[in-house]
Amino acid sequence: MTSTFSPVTPSGAARPPGRMRTVWAAAHAPVAGVPRWCRIAAYAVPFTVLPSSVWRVLVAFVDEDTAGKTGSLPSWLPGEVYVVLLSALSELVAFTAVGLIAGWGEVFPRWVPLLRGRRMPTAAAAWPAAFGAVMLTALWTAAYVADTAGVTLRGEPLPPDYPTAAGGWESAVFHVCYAPLLLWGPLLGAVTVAYVRRRRDVG
């Protein structure tokens, strides 16, 4: 009589990774020549955006003063949907830093029509990344300085309902969640410089 039970994995034996995990790891694994510090910096970029994204979503759905409000948004776009989309887009943009250390930053992925499998020009990845690093550094530094001064980026006083205007625990949590964004630009800039140098050395 044939047993219907699956073989038991011996205690302590590591299970083989699933197919999706294997594909994901292979796609985003660092290529040869990437320094350890650069790998850590690239993987850290999405995590600099994550706290503010989580805070934004939680406030949109939990805070009674903001839930359901659209502000200056079109009437057909709920505020909660906008916040989720904005947070998801921010994470996707931040994740592109991983491409500067992975294979899809040097060879066009299979899902890119006409260009799949071809070598990516260094400038095609380096120039947008460098521009983004400069703009992000300038934006979040200016935003932090303005917030510390109690004004908006336009120099206007912060509205009374702004998280840091009233102070207290909301202000503290806000700063803890948004402070990592100050690292987004510098980290991306460092990874971009390493990317250009590596591609130049490889030729």
Side-chain angles (χ1 to χ4, degrees):
M1 181 177 179
T2 304
S3 174
T4 58
F5 293 97
S6 301
V8 178
T9 303
S11 177
R15 288 186 176 183
R19 183 176 182 276
M20 290 299 296
R21 182 178 177 182
T22 303
V23 172
W24 175 270
H28 306 300
V31 297
V34 176
R36 184 172 183 271
W37 71 263
C38 187
R39 181 173 71 250
I40 295 174
Y43 289 146
V45 169
F47 289 99
T48 65
V49 182
L50 185 60
S52 59
S53 297
V54 173
W55 183 90
R56 199 182 301 118
V57 171
L58 288 177
V59 169
F61 284 91
V62 176
D63 194 337
E64 297 180 355
D65 295 331
T66 59
K69 293 184 178 180
T70 59
S72 59
L73 298 174
S75 57
W76 53 267
L77 180 60
E80 293 85 352
V81 174
Y82 168 77
V83 168
V84 171
L85 292 177
L86 175 63
S87 299
L89 179 61
S90 299
E91 287 297 329
L92 287 175
V93 172
F95 189 76
T96 58
V98 177
L100 297 175
I101 65 168
W104 53 277
E106 300 185 5
V107 178
F108 285 101
R110 291 180 296 176
W111 51 265
V112 179
L114 303 179
L115 298 175
R116 65 187 66 182
R118 295 188 179 185
R119 185 177 184 273
M120 180 181 296
T122 302
W127 278 111
F131 177 77
V134 172
M135 294 301 296
L136 288 167
T137 301
L139 171 64
W140 292 115
T141 301
Y144 181 81
V145 172
D147 181 77
T148 303
V151 297
T152 66
L153 285 174
R154 298 180 180 179
E156 304 168 349
L158 293 175
D161 59 346
Y162 197 74
T164 60
W169 69 269
E170 289 187 0
S171 177
V173 173
F174 178 86
H175 280 112
V176 169
C177 292
Y178 273 80
L181 290 173
L182 291 169
L183 300 175
W184 187 358
L187 286 174
L188 179 59
V191 175
T192 302
V193 172
Y195 172 83
V196 173
R197 289 179 175 176
R198 186 178 71 255
R199 295 293 301 275
R200 182 189 59 193
D201 294 341
V202 173

